[in-house]
Amino acid sequence: MPPRGRPGPKPNPGARNSRHRTDERPVTYLPPDGCQDDPPPLPPGRAWSEAEAQHWRELWQSPQAEVWEDSAFPAVAALVVATSTILSGGRPSAQLIGEARALMSDLGLTPASMERLRWVIGEPPTTRAT
C-alpha cells in the first residue's frame, strides 16, 4: 500500500510562490497609546456635525494614525461621512456599507488589514543577548 498524504513534491519554502514561504517584510509597531499628534482640521466644503468631528478626532488619535500619510485625509473624511450616514438612521445601501468596510481596510482599522499591512499595536520585542 502506498504512503498516505498529499501527492506531489514536498513543500519548498524557498520557492517564489510557495504557500509555505515565510513573510520577510518588516513589522511596523504602532504605539499602544495611539497617535499623540493633534488631529488635522476637518476638510472644508461641508458642514460637519459634532458627532462627525468627534469621530474624526478619534480616528486621528488611533494607533494607526501614527503611520498615515497626508494622502489618508480624504479616506478618513470619507469614512467619517459613510459612518455618519450609516448610523444616522434610515436604511443605508449595501454599496455604502461596502465602501465603509473598504475604507476601514485601506486605513488598517481591521484586524485582517493590520495583519496584511504587518502592523502590530505594541512595543517591539526586546532581544536578549545570551
Side-chain angles (χ1 to χ4, degrees), residues 30-50:
L30 305 177
D33 296 334
C35 183
Q36 301 302 312
D37 298 338
D38 290 332
L42 284 159
R46 181 179 197 282
W48 298 92
S49 71
E50 183 52 41

Side-chain angles (χ1 to χ4, degrees), residues 77-114:
L79 178 59
V80 168
V81 171
T83 303
S84 176
T85 303
I86 291 167
L87 297 177
S88 67
R91 188 172 175 168
S93 69
Q95 182 179 1
L96 179 63
I97 293 170
E99 185 63 26
R101 185 178 298 131
L103 288 165
M104 290 177 63
S105 179
D106 290 347
L107 292 167
L109 295 171
T110 66
S113 62
M114 287 185 62

Side-chain angles (χ1 to χ4, degrees), residues 39-64:
L42 284 159
R46 181 179 197 282
W48 298 92
S49 71
E50 183 52 41
E52 290 170 332
Q54 178 62 30
H55 190 203
W56 175 264
R57 288 188 295 272
E58 289 171 359
L59 287 169
W60 284 102
Q61 292 169 350
S62 69
Q64 292 87 337

Side-chain angles (χ1 to χ4, degrees), residues 3-37:
R4 299 182 78 170
R6 302 193 108 179
K10 291 186 177 184
N12 179 2
R16 188 170 61 99
N17 292 329
S18 173
R19 65 186 172 115
H20 301 281
R21 188 177 176 138
T22 58
D23 194 346
E24 297 171 2
R25 295 176 299 149
V27 172
T28 300
Y29 291 91
L30 305 177
D33 296 334
C35 183
Q36 301 302 312
D37 298 338

